[in-house]
Amino acid sequence: MRRDARIFVAGHRGLVGSAIVRRLRDAGYASLILRTHGELDLTRQADVARFFEEERPEYVFLAAAKVGGIHANSAYPADFIRDNLLIQTNVIDSAYHSGTRKLLFLGSSCIYPREAPQPIPEDALLTGPLEKTNECYAVAKIAGIKHCQALRRQYGFDAISVMPTNLYGPGDNYHPENSHVIPGLIRRFHEAKTSGDAEVAVWGSGTPLREFLHVDDLADALVFLMEEYSGEAIVNIGSGSELTIRELAELIGRVVGFKGAIRFERPEMDGTPRKFLDSRRLRAMGWSPKWPLEEGLAEAYASFREREAGE
């Protein structure tokens, strides 16, 4: 990409979108096109089409999505499938019709079957049933992948799809009910420490294995792929290491400084037993992550405390 290329980052205020903007600006990309939800509702087809006709972005990072943890996905499945289908269909279709040179679509590791082989290779897609707790979100993301692949096959549109593992970092959502596991645990341990609680309850059995990637590592990988990769095959983006939810909770407890006990409850909320991406395709291209997990968690906690102090 030329440094003066017109680049639209859809969802630039979110966890991933804000990290992409930081990475692009650090690399010297000066012509970023950014719109808040109030300025452009991506679920409105006519508004999105008009925006693309007027702005004519050359490159698009499609990081906008309705996202949430197990609770949110279980409580609002209709909202998750509707909003994500609308957002991605409108952006992908308008990008193609307005002459965008290249689009990067962000999927999610939940697109893979619940019982996929571990580590999960890209060709595991559509080989088995999905995890029920986030099935609607996953179906929407799979539709986005197939939309990109179909446009490439039929019209030669340069749309690529990437599948990041579980993410965390600055700009995360710390909502007490709708957050993902790391920000949810950071908030819970911080509040327990502040209140002097003797115990913190964590949903699940603590046994599921998860992989986590700092969002700034993801952003670096996305810019790398936008510059270096063009193909129909999806690309996994992972950290290359995993740990149990129990180990994660204990690590976050130490980072936060919580001295009490940890109690696991509601094992039915475990979700997928293991979710570890095979990222060898990306590693073979020459990219690797930089953030160690404990260092990243400490930075995320510092960011959370700054945010809490400012509210």
XYZ file of all heavy atoms in Angstrom, residues 25-128:
813
model
N -1.010 4.487 11.529
C -0.419 5.809 11.766
C 1.058 5.699 12.115
O 1.871 6.502 11.654
C -1.200 6.536 12.858
C -2.551 7.059 12.357
C -3.364 7.708 13.454
N -4.548 8.377 12.893
C -5.618 8.727 13.589
N -5.664 8.479 14.896
N -6.635 9.321 13.001
N 1.410 4.684 12.911
C 2.814 4.475 13.254
C 3.648 4.173 12.011
O 4.838 4.511 11.947
C 2.965 3.325 14.254
C 2.513 3.700 15.654
O 2.320 4.903 15.919
O 2.326 2.780 16.478
N 3.021 3.519 11.021
C 3.727 3.154 9.792
C 3.731 4.286 8.764
O 4.318 4.131 7.686
C 3.097 1.908 9.183
N 3.062 5.393 9.071
C 3.096 6.544 8.180
C 1.960 6.654 7.194
O 2.004 7.494 6.281
N 0.925 5.850 7.365
C -0.248 5.980 6.483
C -1.058 7.194 6.933
O -1.522 7.251 8.074
C -1.101 4.715 6.535
C -0.419 3.524 5.901
C 0.229 2.566 6.677
C -0.410 3.370 4.518
C 0.870 1.480 6.093
C 0.232 2.277 3.923
C 0.868 1.346 4.720
O 1.501 0.279 4.131
N -1.229 8.142 6.023
C -1.766 9.451 6.415
C -3.201 9.699 5.981
O -3.845 10.631 6.476
C -0.875 10.558 5.845
N -3.727 8.906 5.048
C -5.058 9.193 4.494
C -6.086 8.174 4.995
O -6.648 7.400 4.207
C -5.006 9.202 2.962
O -4.130 10.198 2.496
N -6.299 8.151 6.315
C -7.258 7.214 6.892
C -8.655 7.807 6.854
O -8.861 8.986 7.168
C -6.875 6.882 8.339
C -5.479 6.316 8.563
C -5.313 5.900 10.019
C -5.181 5.164 7.620
N -9.630 6.982 6.485
C -11.032 7.382 6.447
C -11.722 6.717 7.624
O -11.766 5.483 7.710
C -11.698 6.953 5.127
C -10.922 7.508 3.927
C -13.149 7.415 5.081
C -11.355 6.909 2.605
N -12.245 7.517 8.538
C -12.828 6.998 9.771
C -14.218 7.585 9.968
O -14.429 8.773 9.749
C -11.938 7.353 10.967
C -10.447 7.021 10.835
C -9.679 7.549 12.032
C -10.244 5.512 10.684
N -15.153 6.746 10.393
C -16.512 7.198 10.662
C -17.023 6.535 11.933
O -16.904 5.321 12.108
C -17.467 6.846 9.508
C -17.188 7.567 8.203
C -17.504 9.047 8.289
N -17.365 9.703 7.000
C -16.215 10.143 6.483
N -15.089 9.974 7.158
N -16.198 10.733 5.303
N -17.621 7.327 12.816
C -18.271 6.766 13.990
C -19.604 6.159 13.585
O -20.115 6.397 12.475
C -18.516 7.850 15.044
O -19.461 8.795 14.508
C -17.224 8.566 15.424
N -20.202 5.393 14.497
C -21.516 4.817 14.226
C -22.555 5.913 13.996
O -23.446 5.771 13.140
C -21.950 3.922 15.389
C -23.330 3.357 15.233
N -23.627 2.335 14.362
C -24.511 3.690 15.833
C -24.924 2.054 14.431
N -25.473 2.855 15.314
N -22.431 7.017 14.730
C -23.359 8.127 14.552
C -23.241 8.781 13.189
O -24.224 9.296 12.637
N -22.036 8.761 12.634
C -21.809 9.355 11.311
C -22.177 8.405 10.179
O -22.583 8.836 9.099
C -20.344 9.760 11.180
C -19.937 10.893 12.113
C -18.443 11.087 12.166
O -17.687 10.094 11.987
O -18.016 12.230 12.401
N -22.023 7.097 10.409
C -22.326 6.098 9.380
C -22.756 4.800 10.039
O -21.954 4.119 10.671
C -21.096 5.850 8.493
C -21.250 4.773 7.419
C -22.324 5.175 6.399
C -19.917 4.506 6.729
N -24.034 4.472 9.894
C -24.574 3.220 10.426
C -24.366 2.137 9.375
O -25.022 2.141 8.326
C -26.063 3.392 10.747
C -26.671 2.158 11.384
O -26.035 1.082 11.353
O -27.804 2.253 11.902
N -23.447 1.221 9.627
C -23.082 0.218 8.628
C -24.173 -0.814 8.378
O -24.069 -1.597 7.422
C -21.790 -0.483 9.047
C -20.549 0.416 9.110
C -19.341 -0.382 9.607
C -20.249 1.044 7.762
N -25.221 -0.830 9.182
C -26.337 -1.747 8.920
C -27.313 -1.172 7.888
O -28.225 -1.870 7.450
C -27.121 -2.077 10.207
O -27.780 -0.902 10.685
C -26.198 -2.634 11.278
N -27.127 0.079 7.487
C -28.032 0.744 6.537
C -27.408 0.716 5.138
O -26.439 1.433 4.855
C -28.318 2.172 6.987
C -29.024 2.236 8.347
C -29.209 3.663 8.809
N -30.101 4.397 7.925
C -31.439 4.432 8.046
N -32.018 3.775 9.043
N -32.173 5.109 7.198
N -27.972 -0.115 4.289
C -27.373 -0.385 2.978
C -27.201 0.880 2.133
O -26.114 1.118 1.573
C -28.238 -1.389 2.211
C -27.665 -1.788 0.860
C -28.564 -2.774 0.135
O -29.783 -2.738 0.281
N -27.957 -3.662 -0.636
N -28.220 1.699 2.034
C -28.151 2.891 1.187
C -27.084 3.863 1.697
O -26.349 4.470 0.899
C -29.514 3.578 1.125
N -26.985 4.016 3.009
C -25.989 4.925 3.583
C -24.568 4.436 3.313
O -23.670 5.232 3.002
C -26.200 5.071 5.083
C -27.495 5.785 5.431
O -28.162 6.300 4.505
O -27.837 5.834 6.630
N -24.355 3.136 3.420
C -23.031 2.573 3.179
C -22.657 2.719 1.699
O -21.527 3.109 1.367
C -22.980 1.099 3.607
C -21.624 0.476 3.244
C -23.213 0.971 5.108
N -23.594 2.430 0.822
C -23.326 2.563 -0.612
C -22.979 4.007 -0.969
O -22.046 4.267 -1.744
C -24.534 2.093 -1.414
N -23.711 4.956 -0.404
C -23.447 6.368 -0.678
C -22.069 6.764 -0.161
O -21.316 7.489 -0.837
C -24.525 7.233 -0.015
C -24.437 8.713 -0.368
C -25.527 9.513 0.328
N -26.850 8.945 0.103
C -27.578 8.339 1.041
N -27.120 8.248 2.282
N -28.760 7.846 0.743
N -21.713 6.300 1.041
C -20.399 6.601 1.611
C -19.278 6.115 0.690
O -18.313 6.847 0.417
C -20.278 5.948 2.985
C -18.866 5.818 3.497
C -18.217 6.905 4.050
C -18.187 4.612 3.410
C -16.907 6.796 4.517
C -16.880 4.488 3.876
C -16.248 5.586 4.425
N -19.378 4.886 0.208
C -18.326 4.341 -0.647
C -18.255 5.082 -1.987
O -17.154 5.311 -2.517
C -18.541 2.847 -0.873
C -17.883 1.987 0.164
C -18.546 1.662 1.337
C -16.595 1.500 -0.015
C -17.937 0.874 2.309
C -15.982 0.715 0.942
C -16.657 0.401 2.118
N -19.383 5.470 -2.535
C -19.379 6.213 -3.788
C -18.726 7.578 -3.617
O -18.031 8.072 -4.519
C -20.808 6.372 -4.310
C -21.402 5.108 -4.901
C -20.589 4.590 -6.088
O -20.188 5.407 -6.946
O -20.318 3.372 -6.141
N -18.926 8.191 -2.465
C -18.356 9.519 -2.223
C -16.880 9.457 -1.838
O -16.075 10.278 -2.291
C -19.154 10.217 -1.111
C -20.577 10.587 -1.514
C -21.376 11.132 -0.338
O -20.866 11.095 0.806
O -22.525 11.573 -0.567
N -16.499 8.504 -1.001
C -15.141 8.468 -0.460
C -14.156 7.641 -1.282
O -12.949 7.902 -1.263
C -15.164 7.937 0.979
C -15.906 8.830 1.957
C -15.219 10.164 2.155
O -13.998 10.258 1.901
O -15.903 11.125 2.571
N -14.644 6.617 -1.963
C -13.824 5.764 -2.811
C -12.534 5.271 -2.137
O -11.421 5.504 -2.617
C -13.454 6.519 -4.096
C -14.637 6.947 -4.941
C -15.134 5.783 -5.767
N -16.339 6.145 -6.538
C -16.857 5.390 -7.508
N -16.281 4.230 -7.802
N -17.940 5.769 -8.136
N -12.647 4.606 -0.996
C -11.438 4.083 -0.359
C -10.763 3.040 -1.243
O -11.420 2.241 -1.909
C -11.959 3.459 0.940
C -13.389 3.147 0.660
C -13.867 4.222 -0.267
N -9.428 3.057 -1.242
C -8.676 2.075 -2.028
C -8.515 0.763 -1.270
O -8.440 -0.313 -1.884
C -7.305 2.641 -2.370
C -7.342 3.892 -3.228
C -5.969 4.504 -3.362
O -5.129 3.938 -4.100
O -5.715 5.536 -2.703
N -8.428 0.856 0.060
C -8.251 -0.322 0.905
C -9.243 -0.253 2.063
O -9.526 0.831 2.574
C -6.826 -0.397 1.453
C -5.787 -0.522 0.367
C -5.221 0.614 -0.208
C -5.384 -1.771 -0.092
C -4.278 0.505 -1.218
C -4.441 -1.888 -1.100
C -3.894 -0.746 -1.664
O -2.964 -0.862 -2.674
N -9.738 -1.417 2.473
C -10.724 -1.481 3.549
C -10.322 -2.562 4.550
O -10.076 -3.711 4.175
C -12.142 -1.793 3.016
C -13.120 -1.997 4.174
C -12.626 -0.688 2.088
N -10.241 -2.161 5.810
C -10.110 -3.114 6.916
C -11.486 -3.236 7.551
O -11.967 -2.281 8.175
C -9.109 -2.614 7.961
C -7.678 -2.656 7.536
C -7.120 -1.591 6.839
C -6.882 -3.753 7.836
C -5.783 -1.611 6.467
C -5.533 -3.785 7.452
C -4.984 -2.711 6.764
N -12.146 -4.380 7.403
C -13.499 -4.560 7.927
C -13.414 -5.151 9.335
O -13.475 -6.361 9.552
C -14.321 -5.450 7.000
C -15.770 -5.747 7.385
C -16.482 -4.555 7.974
C -16.529 -6.325 6.204
N -13.250 -4.247 10.312
C -13.148 -4.644 11.721
C -14.438 -4.367 12.479
O -14.517 -4.660 13.677
C -11.991 -3.911 12.381
N -15.440 -3.793 11.824
C -16.713 -3.489 12.486
C -17.527 -4.768 12.658
O -17.649 -5.569 11.726
C -17.503 -2.478 11.667
N -18.086 -4.964 13.842
C -18.905 -6.143 14.118
C -19.616 -5.953 15.445
O -19.196 -5.156 16.285
C -18.044 -7.407 14.166
N -20.683 -6.699 15.623
C -21.319 -6.792 16.940
C -20.664 -7.967 17.639
O -20.741 -9.106 17.158
C -22.825 -7.020 16.815
C -23.536 -7.050 18.175
C -25.037 -7.214 18.011
C -25.733 -7.224 19.370
N -25.601 -5.946 20.094
N -19.983 -7.712 18.754
C -19.219 -8.758 19.423
C -19.587 -8.829 20.900
O -20.155 -7.889 21.463
C -17.700 -8.522 19.283
C -17.281 -8.541 17.826
C -17.296 -7.191 19.929
N -19.248 -9.947 21.529
C -19.508 -10.125 22.954
C -19.066 -11.498 23.403
O -18.677 -12.336 22.594
N -19.122 -11.721 24.699
C -18.726 -12.997 25.270
C -19.841 -14.029 25.224
O -20.863 -13.853 24.547
N -19.661 -15.122 25.970
C -20.622 -16.221 25.956
C -22.006 -15.746 26.386
O -23.018 -16.092 25.778
C -20.132 -17.373 26.868
C -18.912 -18.055 26.236
C -21.238 -18.398 27.085
C -18.316 -19.146 27.103
N -22.070 -14.929 27.449
C -23.367 -14.464 27.940
C -24.099 -13.668 26.875
O -25.287 -13.903 26.606
C -23.193 -13.621 29.195
C -24.460 -12.935 29.636
N -25.471 -13.605 30.293
C -24.896 -11.650 29.472
C -26.474 -12.765 30.528
N -26.142 -11.570 30.045
N -23.411 -12.712 26.247
C -24.062 -11.865 25.247
C -24.502 -12.678 24.041
O -25.611 -12.496 23.518
C -23.107 -10.748 24.817
N -23.652 -13.594 23.580
C -24.007 -14.422 22.427
C -25.195 -15.334 22.725
O -26.033 -15.574 21.857
C -22.803 -15.267 21.998
C -21.879 -14.540 21.045
O -22.081 -14.562 19.842
N -20.878 -13.881 21.591
N -25.266 -15.825 23.950
C -26.368 -16.705 24.329
C -27.669 -15.932 24.518
O -28.750 -16.431 24.194
C -26.023 -17.447 25.625
O -24.876 -18.247 25.468
N -27.574 -14.688 25.032
C -28.761 -13.897 25.343
C -29.344 -13.191 24.127
O -30.559 -12.966 24.060
C -28.432 -12.876 26.427
N -28.493 -12.834 23.140
C -28.961 -12.021 22.007
C -28.578 -12.625 20.659
O -28.003 -11.948 19.802
C -28.376 -10.608 22.114
C -28.489 -9.993 23.485
C -27.353 -9.776 24.266
C -29.728 -9.629 24.021
C -27.441 -9.218 25.530
C -29.829 -9.073 25.281
C -28.689 -8.866 26.033
O -28.788 -8.322 27.281
N -28.891 -13.912 20.412
C -28.448 -14.547 19.162
C -29.028 -13.895 17.909
O -28.337 -13.788 16.883
C -28.931 -15.991 19.314
C -30.075 -15.914 20.286
C -29.681 -14.836 21.243
N -30.281 -13.443 17.959
C -30.898 -12.817 16.788
C -30.188 -11.517 16.431
O -29.964 -11.212 15.253
C -32.384 -12.554 17.041
N -29.827 -10.733 17.459
C -29.113 -9.479 17.218
C -27.742 -9.750 16.601
O -27.305 -9.027 15.694
C -28.926 -8.702 18.521
C -30.243 -8.256 19.130
O -31.293 -8.423 18.482
O -30.219 -7.747 20.265
N -27.064 -10.780 17.082
C -25.716 -11.069 16.595
C -25.719 -11.503 15.134
O -24.864 -11.064 14.352
C -25.048 -12.129 17.475
C -24.354 -11.546 18.665
C -25.051 -11.250 19.831
C -22.998 -11.271 18.629
C -24.413 -10.690 20.927
C -22.348 -10.716 19.731
C -23.060 -10.425 20.880
N -26.666 -12.355 14.736
C -26.654 -12.808 13.345
C -27.161 -11.703 12.413
O -26.598 -11.471 11.342
C -27.458 -14.120 13.162
C -27.138 -14.727 11.788
C -28.954 -13.922 13.367
C -27.626 -16.159 11.644
N -28.178 -10.959 12.825
C -28.720 -9.893 11.978
C -27.705 -8.775 11.761
O -27.390 -8.423 10.616
C -29.987 -9.318 12.615
C -30.615 -8.156 11.826
C -31.516 -7.332 12.731
N -30.760 -6.717 13.822
C -31.288 -6.398 15.008
N -32.555 -6.651 15.264
N -30.530 -5.829 15.937
N -27.194 -8.216 12.846
C -26.305 -7.054 12.724
C -25.023 -7.387 11.978
O -24.553 -6.600 11.150
C -25.979 -6.488 14.102
C -27.167 -5.789 14.746
O -28.227 -5.684 14.094
O -27.036 -5.352 15.906
N -24.450 -8.543 12.255
C -23.203 -8.887 11.586
C -23.408 -9.190 10.105
O -22.576 -8.805 9.270
C -22.511 -10.039 12.303
C -21.845 -9.576 13.584
O -20.961 -8.733 13.561
N -22.293 -10.088 14.719
N -24.499 -9.848 9.751
C -24.783 -10.077 8.338
C -24.981 -8.749 7.603
O -24.465 -8.559 6.491
C -26.024 -10.952 8.176
C -25.843 -12.445 8.456
C -27.195 -13.150 8.438
C -24.898 -13.084 7.435
N -25.702 -7.828 8.215
C -25.943 -6.538 7.579
C -24.652 -5.751 7.412
O -24.357 -5.237 6.321
C -26.947 -5.726 8.405
C -28.410 -6.177 8.355
C -29.235 -5.419 9.390
C -28.988 -5.959 6.955
N -23.878 -5.640 8.479
C -22.642 -4.850 8.431
C -21.702 -5.375 7.355
O -21.253 -4.639 6.470
C -21.947 -4.866 9.803
C -22.744 -4.053 10.827
C -20.522 -4.332 9.691
C -22.290 -4.264 12.270
N -21.394 -6.647 7.415
C -20.379 -7.174 6.506
C -20.872 -7.227 5.063
O -20.102 -6.927 4.123
C -19.898 -8.545 6.972
C -20.963 -9.621 6.930
C -20.657 -10.796 7.849
O -20.070 -10.651 8.921
N -21.054 -11.981 7.424
N -22.135 -7.554 4.845
C -22.655 -7.597 3.478
C -22.635 -6.210 2.855
O -22.214 -6.030 1.700
C -24.077 -8.166 3.454
O -24.069 -9.491 4.002
C -24.620 -8.229 2.030
N -23.071 -5.210 3.601
C -23.089 -3.848 3.073
C -21.688 -3.355 2.734
O -21.467 -2.770 1.671
C -23.745 -2.903 4.081
C -25.229 -3.146 4.248
O -25.864 -3.750 3.388
N -25.785 -2.689 5.349
N -20.742 -3.570 3.635
C -19.385 -3.067 3.411
C -18.699 -3.826 2.277
O -18.090 -3.214 1.380
C -18.557 -3.149 4.709
C -17.089 -2.798 4.433
C -19.131 -2.206 5.757
N -18.749 -5.146 2.285
C -18.074 -5.937 1.253
C -18.653 -5.624 -0.120
O -17.917 -5.386 -1.092
C -18.183 -7.443 1.564
C -17.411 -7.787 2.836
C -17.660 -8.276 0.395
C -17.684 -9.187 3.379
N -19.975 -5.594 -0.226
C -20.621 -5.347 -1.513
C -20.323 -3.939 -2.029
O -19.990 -3.746 -3.202
C -22.134 -5.543 -1.368
C -22.849 -5.531 -2.710
O -22.543 -6.394 -3.547
O -23.707 -4.646 -2.915
N -20.408 -2.942 -1.151
C -20.146 -1.569 -1.569
C -18.681 -1.365 -1.923
O -18.359 -0.606 -2.842
C -20.562 -0.591 -0.469
O -21.966 -0.588 -0.296
N -17.787 -2.022 -1.210
C -16.366 -1.919 -1.539
C -16.102 -2.440 -2.947
O -15.410 -1.794 -3.754
C -15.535 -2.696 -0.521
N -16.664 -3.581 -3.269
C -16.481 -4.137 -4.612
C -17.050 -3.203 -5.679
O -16.374 -2.860 -6.655
C -17.128 -5.513 -4.723
C -17.301 -5.942 -6.158
C -16.185 -6.212 -6.951
C -18.571 -6.023 -6.738
C -16.339 -6.564 -8.286
C -18.723 -6.373 -8.063
C -17.612 -6.636 -8.833
O -17.753 -6.965 -10.155
N -18.285 -2.752 -5.490
C -18.951 -1.946 -6.517
C -18.346 -0.551 -6.671
O -18.475 0.058 -7.742
C -20.444 -1.842 -6.212
C -21.211 -3.085 -6.553
N -21.444 -3.496 -7.849
C -21.774 -4.034 -5.766
C -22.120 -4.623 -7.857
N -22.337 -4.981 -6.598
N -17.673 -0.046 -5.658
C -17.103 1.302 -5.756
C -15.646 1.290 -6.230
O -15.015 2.345 -6.327
C -17.196 2.013 -4.403
O -16.349 1.397 -3.450
N -15.095 0.107 -6.487
C -13.743 0.030 -7.025
C -12.629 -0.089 -6.015
O -11.456 0.160 -6.342
N -12.931 -0.471 -4.782
C -11.891 -0.701 -3.785
C -10.886 -1.732 -4.307
O -11.271 -2.751 -4.887
C -12.516 -1.189 -2.467
O -13.301 -0.136 -1.901
C -11.460 -1.623 -1.475
N -9.610 -1.454 -4.104
C -8.565 -2.341 -4.612
C -8.451 -3.616 -3.794
O -8.208 -4.698 -4.336
C -7.225 -1.625 -4.626
C -7.157 -0.465 -5.605
C -5.776 0.181 -5.604
N -4.746 -0.767 -6.004
C -3.445 -0.475 -6.092
N -3.026 0.743 -5.764
N -2.569 -1.372 -6.471
N -8.606 -3.505 -2.466
C -8.423 -4.682 -1.617
C -9.181 -4.503 -0.320
O -9.223 -3.405 0.242
C -6.936 -4.893 -1.331
C -6.600 -6.220 -0.636
C -5.103 -6.412 -0.597
C -4.722 -7.772 -0.027
N -3.257 -7.980 -0.019
N -9.760 -5.587 0.165
C -10.511 -5.591 1.423
C -10.022 -6.732 2.301
O -9.801 -7.846 1.815
C -12.004 -5.726 1.147
C -12.930 -5.800 2.374
C -14.232 -5.056 2.104
C -13.248 -7.254 2.760
N -9.872 -6.436 3.579
C -9.525 -7.465 4.561
C -10.712 -7.656 5.500
O -11.146 -6.708 6.149
C -8.273 -7.064 5.340
C -7.739 -8.082 6.348
C -6.222 -7.972 6.474
C -8.371 -7.908 7.732
N -11.220 -8.887 5.554
C -12.366 -9.230 6.394
C -11.891 -9.995 7.617
O -11.176 -10.989 7.505
C -13.359 -10.086 5.608
C -14.493 -10.623 6.435
C -15.469 -9.771 6.937
C -14.592 -11.980 6.717
C -16.518 -10.262 7.706
C -15.643 -12.483 7.473
C -16.598 -11.615 7.972
N -12.311 -9.518 8.793
C -11.953 -10.181 10.042
C -13.045 -11.144 10.466
O -14.179 -10.740 10.714
C -11.744 -9.144 11.159
C -10.303 -8.703 11.318
C -10.165 -7.274 10.874
C -9.869 -8.857 12.747
N -12.682 -12.403 10.542
C -13.599 -13.403 11.061
C -13.351 -13.606 12.548
O -13.029 -12.673 13.278
N -13.463 -14.843 12.980
C -13.268 -15.189 14.391
C -12.975 -16.674 14.480
O -13.453 -17.462 13.650
C -14.529 -14.854 15.193
O -14.509 -15.477 16.457
N -12.203 -17.061 15.486
C -11.883 -18.483 15.637
C -13.115 -19.323 15.945
O -13.078 -20.549 15.808
C -10.836 -18.681 16.730
O -11.280 -18.135 17.961
N -14.231 -18.687 16.329
C -15.451 -19.460 16.623
C -16.113 -19.996 15.354
O -17.091 -20.738 15.437
C -16.436 -18.621 17.424
S -17.229 -17.313 16.484
N -15.588 -19.650 14.180
C -16.136 -20.197 12.932
C -15.858 -21.683 12.812
O -16.519 -22.380 12.037
C -15.558 -19.495 11.700
C -14.045 -19.734 11.610
C -15.894 -18.009 11.703
C -13.432 -19.424 10.274
N -14.878 -22.173 13.569
C -14.479 -23.570 13.429
C -15.375 -24.492 14.257
O -15.955 -24.079 15.260
C -13.024 -23.730 13.846
C -12.057 -23.037 12.910
C -11.251 -22.004 13.359
C -11.963 -23.418 11.572
C -10.363 -21.364 12.500
C -11.088 -22.791 10.710
C -10.292 -21.760 11.166
O -9.429 -21.125 10.306
N -15.499 -25.766 13.848
C -16.340 -26.707 14.595
C -15.916 -26.833 16.054
O -14.737 -26.716 16.391
C -16.129 -28.031 13.849
C -15.721 -27.629 12.469
C -14.909 -26.376 12.642
N -16.911 -27.123 16.883
C -16.646 -27.296 18.317
C -15.600 -28.378 18.567
O -14.740 -28.231 19.436
C -17.956 -27.663 19.030
C -17.778 -28.024 20.495
C -19.094 -28.441 21.135
N -18.875 -29.053 22.430
C -18.744 -28.377 23.581
N -18.831 -27.074 23.582
N -18.541 -29.010 24.718
N -15.644 -29.455 17.800
C -14.726 -30.578 17.991
C -13.662 -30.613 16.906
O -13.225 -31.683 16.477
C -15.516 -31.894 18.004
C -16.617 -31.964 19.049
C -16.084 -31.915 20.477
O -14.892 -32.223 20.681
O -16.861 -31.562 21.388
N -13.212 -29.466 16.463
C -12.185 -29.405 15.423
C -10.874 -29.991 15.922
O -10.587 -29.973 17.120
C -11.969 -27.958 14.991
N -10.051 -30.531 15.021
C -8.730 -31.018 15.438
C -7.907 -29.868 15.988
O -8.081 -28.714 15.590
C -8.135 -31.575 14.137
C -8.883 -30.891 13.043
C -10.267 -30.679 13.572
N -7.021 -30.177 16.918
C -6.202 -29.161 17.585
C -4.719 -29.399 17.299
O -4.270 -30.542 17.387
C -6.460 -29.197 19.094
C -7.900 -29.020 19.491
C -8.399 -27.593 19.299
O -7.626 -26.642 19.405
N -9.685 -27.448 19.031
N -3.949 -28.355 16.989
C -4.381 -26.994 16.675
C -5.295 -26.972 15.450
O -5.189 -27.852 14.595
C -3.072 -26.249 16.415
C -1.982 -27.107 16.981
C -2.478 -28.507 16.878
N -6.140 -25.948 15.349
C -7.161 -25.914 14.309
C -6.585 -25.378 12.998
O -6.174 -24.223 12.916
C -8.342 -25.023 14.731
C -8.887 -25.435 16.101
C -9.439 -25.066 13.682
C -9.941 -24.496 16.664
N -6.558 -26.208 11.945
C -6.085 -25.723 10.651
C -7.190 -24.967 9.920
O -8.373 -25.150 10.205
C -5.734 -27.018 9.911
C -6.695 -28.024 10.471
C -6.903 -27.642 11.922
N -6.810 -24.140 8.985
C -7.808 -23.359 8.239
C -8.801 -24.246 7.494
O -9.974 -23.870 7.338
C -7.101 -22.427 7.250
C -6.402 -21.236 7.880
C -4.944 -21.483 8.234
O -4.515 -22.670 8.206
O -4.230 -20.508 8.543
N -8.361 -25.427 7.047
C -9.281 -26.272 6.276
C -10.271 -27.047 7.152
O -11.055 -27.860 6.646
C -8.513 -27.230 5.362
C -7.591 -28.183 6.104
O -7.664 -28.239 7.355
O -6.791 -28.868 5.442
N -10.289 -26.761 8.471
C -11.304 -27.356 9.342
C -12.664 -26.669 9.189
O -13.681 -27.177 9.682
C -10.861 -27.287 10.796
N -12.704 -25.529 8.510
C -13.951 -24.794 8.330
C -15.023 -25.673 7.688
O -14.768 -26.356 6.687
C -13.702 -23.565 7.458
C -14.902 -22.655 7.196
C -15.394 -22.019 8.482
C -14.543 -21.575 6.173
N -16.217 -25.667 8.293
C -17.395 -26.379 7.780
C -17.230 -27.902 7.758
O -17.836 -28.583 6.936
C -17.774 -25.871 6.384
C -18.228 -24.408 6.301
C -18.491 -24.000 4.862
C -19.473 -24.187 7.153
N -16.432 -28.421 8.674
C -16.267 -29.876 8.749
C -17.007 -30.508 9.919
O -16.895 -31.717 10.133
C -14.765 -30.245 8.850
O -14.207 -29.633 10.026
C -13.996 -29.789 7.617
N -17.756 -29.705 10.697
C -18.489 -30.246 11.834
C -19.370 -29.196 12.476
O -19.334 -28.013 12.098
